[in-house]
Amino acid sequence: MRTIKNIVVHCTATPTDATVTAICRYWREQLGWKNPGYHYIILRDGSIDQLLDEELIANGVAGHNADSIHVAYIGGIDKDGKPIDNRSDMQRHTLFDILVWLCEKHQSAHIVGHRDFPGVSKACPCFDVREWLRYYVPPVIENINKIEDEDEPELSPAA
């Protein structure tokens, strides 16, 4: 069992319409990587693709992969290729949820952005992870009030 010290947040540094297949192909064909760059990728709709078992080492941050789990969202650049935080609301919600889940599994791990490692000159993940986590309020809290205010749904009889 690997000891996880870091849960690293990334962007894919691709347009928001990039596919997981295209990203994986780039790693394999252009970079020659056997393992992907991330363990998990969050798609625009908030769904998650697990690319690698957590026990295996991904290629997320040079020199820090043996003790890290890597999570990325699809996006991170604008139409001109410049860094931008262009996460959808669903990506934000899912990112928060998976970080909570991973912290519960790896209780001594620290959540950091790729750019927070010494010597890294990338903008990835294109936002300040610690600042975002400090102020992020999960949407569930808002939805609880809405559910309490609604009438019970009308149920159809079973056929």
Side-chain angles (χ1 to χ4, degrees), residues 28-116:
R28 197 174 45 255
E29 295 175 6
Q30 301 298 315
L31 301 179
W33 292 354
K34 292 180 182 172
N35 285 349
Y38 321 118
H39 293 88
Y40 301 95
I41 287 187
I42 303 170
L43 286 65
R44 294 293 291 170
D45 67 0
S47 60
I48 300 171
D49 275 5
Q50 183 171 1
L51 304 180
L52 192 64
D53 186 276
E54 290 181 17
E55 282 304 308
L56 301 174
I57 297 172
N59 291 307
V61 180
H64 299 277
N65 294 321
D67 60 5
S68 298
I69 291 180
H70 302 279
V71 179
Y73 70 93
I74 290 184
I77 61 171
D78 66 15
K79 61 182 171 122
D80 297 319
K82 297 199 182 331
I84 186 171
D85 178 6
N86 53 10
R87 292 174 292 160
S88 68
D89 286 341
M90 292 308 299
Q91 284 175 312
R92 283 184 182 88
H93 303 331
T94 299
L95 179 59
F96 181 82
D97 289 346
I98 195 170
L99 292 176
V100 169
W101 178 68
L102 288 169
C103 282
E104 289 172 353
K105 286 175 63 176
H106 308 283
Q107 295 182 6
S108 62
H110 299 280
I111 300 172
V112 294
H114 184 173
R115 70 184 190 178
D116 297 329

Side-chain angles (χ1 to χ4, degrees), residues 9-23:
V9 178
H10 298 267
C11 65
T12 58
T14 62
T16 58
D17 62 352
T19 65
V20 173
T21 302
I23 294 165

